[in-house]
Amino acid sequence: MSASKEKFATQVTSDILAEVRALAHSEGRQLQALVDEALTDLIEKRRYTRPRSHGMSAYDASHEQYADLYQKLAK
């Protein structure tokens, strides 16, 4: 089952729109598919810019256990 779609309007430069249209054409895809992909990529990129808490917990535990080794490696 696909998610419902919602229309929205925005503006981009003519150059960007021409590039995206050419890319969609060369890939045999709809412009909307590229817009969906670009927005999804942006969301994922921004969502994971900060380390996740379980990753930081593992890092902290590792740092406590191997602090001496990390100091030697840093030299």
Side-chain angles (χ1 to χ4, degrees):
M1 183 173 156
S2 65
S4 64
K5 303 281 184 176
E6 185 173 335
K7 281 189 170 197
F8 74 99
T10 190
Q11 295 181 347
V12 297
T13 64
S14 300
D15 293 343
I16 290 174
L17 185 55
E19 289 284 337
V20 173
R21 283 182 172 150
L23 186 58
H25 179 72
S26 72
E27 293 181 0
R29 298 172 67 194
Q30 296 291 318
L31 181 62
Q32 183 59 50
L34 294 185
V35 171
D36 283 345
E37 182 180 331
L39 291 174
T40 299
D41 286 348
L42 176 65
I43 291 166
E44 290 298 313
K45 179 178 151 188
R46 298 287 168 86
R47 181 178 290 156
Y48 296 118
T49 17
R50 286 177 254 122
R52 290 181 253 174
S53 60
H54 69 277
M56 287 307 296
S57 295
Y59 170 76
D60 288 340
S62 166
H63 209 284
E64 288 174 16
Q65 184 176 359
Y66 299 109
D68 292 336
L69 174 61
Y70 291 153
Q71 292 225 346
K72 289 177 184 175
L73 289 171
K75 291 181 181 180

